[in-house]
Amino acid sequence: MTLGPVGRAMEERLRAALQPEHLEILDQSHHHAGHAGAHPEGESHFHVVIVSQAFAGKPLVQRHRMVNEALGDLLKERIHALSITAKAPGE
């Protein structure tokens, strides 16, 4: 599935902030159509898989915070739900 403008903005921000070795952004909004927080145009529910050296030695909660900080206002204004798989290389 091709990313729309919100997904592309997420990708740009995560690449700039965390220089990932691997980044996968999945728009899962179609699974939530009609639910609370779902936008009719989609791009409201995402899953991110990210592998970055920036996560090495950091606990899971800190890794999630790093992703949330990189996404900034997108989480407040556009993204309703975000699930994250954040790993360091070799994990």
Side-chain angles (χ1 to χ4, degrees), residues 15-78:
R15 288 195 185 283
L18 301 169
Q19 292 98 38
E21 294 181 11
H22 174 79
L23 177 61
E24 195 174 340
I25 300 172
L26 304 168
D27 183 352
Q28 299 178 329
S29 302
H30 61 285
H31 295 298
H32 303 276
H35 296 184
H39 296 280
E41 64 276 8
E43 291 200 289
S44 58
H45 295 69
F46 290 91
H47 178 69
V48 170
V49 178
I50 183 168
V51 178
S52 174
Q53 185 61 40
F55 299 141
K58 297 198 172 51
L60 184 60
V61 70
Q62 188 173 359
R63 294 173 184 196
H64 283 216
R65 285 181 184 142
M66 292 167 72
V67 170
N68 291 345
E69 287 173 14
L71 296 177
D73 63 321
L74 287 175
L75 282 176
K76 294 177 185 171
E77 299 171 6
R78 191 60 178 88

Side-chain angles (χ1 to χ4, degrees), residues 8-22:
R8 288 191 303 272
M10 291 172 65
E11 181 177 17
E12 289 173 15
R13 291 178 185 202
L14 291 170
R15 288 195 185 283
L18 301 169
Q19 292 98 38
E21 294 181 11
H22 174 79

